[in-house]
Amino acid sequence: MLDVRGINVGYDQVQVLYDLSLTARPGEILCLLGRNGAGKTTTMKAIMGLLPLRSGSVLLDGEDISALPAYEVPRRRIAYVPQGRRLFSELTVAENIEIGLMVRDAGKATRDRVLDIFPRLRERLDQRAETLSGGEQQMLATARALCIEPQVLLLDEPTEGLQPSMIEQIRQVIVQMKSENVAIILVEQRVDAVLSIADQVAFIENGRNLETLEAEALRQDPSKLTRYLGV
Amino acid sequence: MDLGPYLLLASLEGAVAAAVLALTAVGLSLVFGVMRVVNVAHGEFFMLGAVLAWWFASLVAGHPAFGFVLALICAPLIAAVIAAAADYFVLKRLNYDPEATIVATIGLLYIIQQTVLMTYGPDARPVEAPFNARIYLPWFGYSTYKFFVIGAAIVLLIGVWIMLTKTRIGLVLRASQLDSEMALAFGIKVDQVYAMVFGLGAGLAAMAAVLVVPIQQAHYLMGGDPLLLSFIVVIIGGLGSIAGTVVAAILIGMSDGIISVFFSPTLAKIIATLLVAFVLIFRPTGLFGKRSI
Ligand SMILES: Nc1ncnc2c1ncn2[C@@H]1O[C@H](COP(=O)(O)OP(=O)(O)OP(=O)(O)O)[C@@H](O)[C@H]1O
Ligand SMILES: [Mg+2]
């Protein structure tokens, strides 16, 4: 279980997150909803240890991972699929995957399992990441993260700019991870997609977590959505 | 004597200069490429290599080859350790801010230079070559040691290339270069990578100096020229491009050697500097660079 407890985070002078708290449970999908600039990406970077916390903590099964150096966080099996993919552009598909495998010294079995999920990547192992299509790049970003064999998976707008069939494929992978008892935090802009997949929904506004709701309650009564997002 | 033998001699001298320059400049290029740090103290690590080579050579009695081999192993190592420490204790603490690192490496330049002046002194001192047989070409004799310098530089450069493209360390290094934040998010100890790269860059410069010191003598001010030429080469080759750096080093080194033999070393430097100006005007990313600066 991943527990974000009252974190305050910012860049240099500006503070972005204020006393933000979240809880992601194994086998559940927590969706973060919020307008552009609300602080969703910042939240994920803070969990990964890429931004220093001014206060608060991030606990993984009780261990305070925010006290660790950033490179230790993925070794605790927390995997990150960042917004905009952020592949190692000049490296090949195989090399990007290798970087993912190296995190926990995973071997061929893991590699095969990940490539079985994304057969398209297997055909393109020697292609440079920057020359992949947008959809293939998203597959690679996801595959790279799955190489960590995550217990917590952070996905930041994984369907941004993708066509429906590709979105469906990413969705299936997320559902599969959920069934394998991974705790998932997903940033997603499309409300219908959120409602169909989420277990919990957290509304982030101006760097604050206004409320975390059961998705079931939202499905019954979507009026809250209108209130928070104006949709 | 007609022109041919002169040209051959000049080319050989140029090849030696190119070999030494390529090693030195690749060190500078690696540091800039991976860390985006302009290391103004690079020439001082070159000088440190030469001075340490003299010191190791003077420690060992007997055949000069013993001292030379000791120097070839130890001098680059010591330079690398000093550089890695400078990275860890100074550059890292500046968060690799571009302007701050330039100022810091200028400081490092003076610290190293003055420390050497106070300990080693102002004299230029020779180091005896490990072997000195001459090959007799039809027109003139030529030192086998100079051929060795060329060969050693080629072997070392191939080694660096294999390290970068074929090994795990190289992969980690390239990933850190492309996106250091994502490297961190994938468990790469970017701090260690940076310290290693800074050390490697300095080590390559020191290695080049150890190779050159039997030809050139060690002196505490000898770091200036290699620094200038390395900058020229890195800019012409394309910032951060290792292949471009090597090609530019061959170009500049060869023309430097040839022009120095036929005309004067000063003219060679003037032409190289002009070349940089033209490259910056007509192809600002360098011959092999693709990113804009
Ligand atoms: N590197 C940075 N330096 C300064 N401010 C930043 C930086 N990155 C983000 N911010 C600011 O932090 C705030 C939150 O940004 P963040 O990227 O977390 O938003 P987001 O919720 O992910 O938005 P989006 O939906 O557009 O991706 C914004 O106001 C942004 O301008
Ligand atoms: Mg975002």
Side-chain angles (χ1 to χ4, degrees):
Chain A
M1 189 167 83
L2 185 82
D3 229 336
V4 179
R5 288 207 186 147
I7 56 171
N8 287 275
V9 180
Y11 302 92
D12 295 330
Q13 308 302 325
V14 281
Q15 184 161 353
V16 175
L17 302 183
Y18 299 87
D19 294 322
L20 185 128
S21 297
L22 297 168
T23 301
R25 295 186 193 83
E28 285 193 11
I29 298 174
L30 168 67
C31 280
L32 307 187
L33 268 180
R35 293 168 206 268
N36 293 131
K40 305 177 296 291
T41 299
T42 305
T43 304
M44 296 208 154
K45 284 192 184 175
I47 294 172
M48 292 308 295
L50 300 173
L51 293 170
L53 305 187
R54 294 177 184 183
S55 64
S57 57
V58 180
L59 304 180
L60 179 69
D61 298 329
E63 185 193 15
D64 184 1
I65 56 167
S66 59
L68 300 172
Y71 58 76
E72 285 292 348
V73 174
R75 294 171 193 207
R76 297 290 191 281
R77 294 174 57 208
I78 302 183
Y80 182 30
V81 181
Q83 187 169 18
R85 293 137 199 171
R86 302 276 295 269
L87 295 169
F88 298 109
S89 57
E90 291 177 23
L91 303 188
T92 62
V93 170
E95 287 172 327
N96 271 278
I97 286 177
E98 180 67 27
I99 299 268
L101 292 170
M102 270 162 43
V103 175
R104 303 191 63 251
D105 268 324
K108 191 168 177 310
T110 309
R111 188 176 190 270
D112 285 343
R113 213 164 54 84
V114 169
L115 287 175
D116 285 343
I117 301 176
F118 300 105
R120 283 266 282 276
L121 295 178
R122 185 172 266 135
E123 298 160 15
R124 303 174 179 279
L125 285 174
D126 292 326
Q127 195 173 330
R128 282 154 69 109
E130 61 193 350
T131 64
L132 293 173
S133 79
E136 289 160 355
Q137 290 193 11
Q138 190 60 53
M139 290 181 185
L140 181 53
T142 313
R144 180 178 67 172
L146 295 187
C147 287
I148 294 179
E149 301 187 313
Q151 56 169 325
V152 179
L153 181 59
L154 313 179
L155 298 125
D156 197 346
E157 304 202 23
T159 59
E160 205 176 20
L162 299 187
Q163 65 182 53
S165 68
M166 195 65 75
I167 292 177
E168 177 54 26
Q169 206 181 340
I170 299 287
R171 200 187 79 93
Q172 278 173 12
V173 172
I174 296 173
V175 170
Q176 185 189 336
M177 288 302 122
K178 172 182 148 118
S179 73
E180 291 175 17
N181 221 26
V182 177
I184 294 164
I185 302 183
L186 171 68
V187 173
E188 175 61 72
Q189 299 283 6
R190 296 165 312 123
V191 174
D192 53 327
V194 169
L195 286 182
S196 75
I197 202 175
D199 295 293
Q200 310 265 336
V201 179
F203 292 93
I204 315 280
E205 194 173 292
N206 296 327
R208 292 179 176 83
N209 181 7
L210 298 184
E211 195 171 6
T212 305
L213 296 172
E214 295 290 332
E216 193 49 46
L218 271 180
R219 284 190 276 268
Q220 307 284 333
D221 172 22
S223 65
K224 278 250 165 66
L225 284 171
T226 339
R227 178 134 59 83
Y228 286 128
L229 298 172
V231 289
Chain B
M1 206 153 85
D2 50 34
L3 195 64
Y6 270 117
L7 199 61
L8 181 62
L9 180 66
S11 308
L12 283 172
E13 291 295 305
V16 173
V20 174
L21 180 55
L23 271 185
T24 314
V26 161
L28 188 71
S29 179
L30 258 180
V31 167
F32 181 80
V34 176
M35 305 168 68
R36 300 276 129 180
V37 166
V38 177
N39 181 13
V40 184
H42 195 63
E44 302 318 302
F45 289 111
F46 181 91
M47 179 272 284
L48 206 53
V51 168
L52 286 169
W54 173 85
W55 187 66
F56 280 114
S58 68
L59 277 185
V60 181
H63 195 279
F66 295 126
F68 181 80
V69 170
L70 187 69
L72 201 56
I73 296 166
C74 297
L77 266 182
I78 293 175
V81 169
I82 293 174
D87 169 72
Y88 186 84
F89 290 110
V90 183
L91 303 185
K92 181 182 158 189
R93 265 144 242 260
L94 300 171
N95 289 322
Y96 300 99
D97 173 76
E99 280 121 46
T101 49
I102 289 183
V103 176
T105 55
I106 291 175
L108 195 58
L109 179 159
Y110 283 112
I111 292 172
I112 297 175
Q113 206 174 73
Q114 294 306 308
T115 309
V116 171
L117 176 62
M118 285 187 294
T119 51
Y120 170 87
D123 307 327
R125 299 178 204 194
V127 173
E128 206 176 325
F131 50 88
N132 230 335
R134 293 179 83 76
I135 290 185
Y136 287 97
L137 303 172
W139 314 277
F140 52 84
Y142 201 71
S143 153
T144 46
Y145 179 73
K146 290 189 177 177
F147 284 111
F148 167 76
V149 171
I150 299 171
I154 293 173
V155 168
L156 284 167
L157 288 172
I158 291 174
V160 170
W161 187 255
I162 290 175
M163 191 272 288
L164 282 175
T165 54
K166 300 275 186 277
T167 68
R168 253 170 108 103
I169 289 182
L171 183 61
V172 162
L173 217 140
R174 285 181 291 147
S176 308
Q177 163 170 16
L178 290 166
D179 190 334
S180 58
E181 193 180 43
M182 276 310 115
L184 212 48
F186 281 87
I188 293 173
K189 297 176 181 171
V190 175
D191 283 349
Q192 279 184 15
V193 170
Y194 281 5
M196 196 198 86
V197 167
F198 206 65
L200 180 64
L204 284 170
M207 184 82 86
V210 176
L211 289 173
V212 89
V213 84
I215 305 170
Q216 211 197 325
Q217 301 201 342
H219 184 257
Y220 83 107
L221 288 177
M222 73 191 295
D225 271 3
L227 179 70
L228 175 69
L229 285 173
S230 294
F231 270 125
I232 289 176
V233 161
V234 169
I235 291 169
I236 292 179
L239 293 171
S241 159
I242 301 290
T245 301
V246 172
V247 171
I250 293 169
L251 197 75
I252 295 293
M254 289 296 284
S255 60
D256 192 74
I258 292 173
I259 296 168
S260 299
V261 168
F262 281 103
F263 303 99
S264 80
T266 314
L267 181 68
K269 300 277 181 308
I270 292 173
I271 291 179
T273 313
L274 274 179
L275 200 57
V276 169
F278 281 119
V279 166
L280 284 179
I281 292 167
F282 295 109
R283 202 176 150 79
T285 54
L287 298 180
F288 285 67
K290 48 182 173 206
R291 285 190 213 88
S292 54
I293 304 167

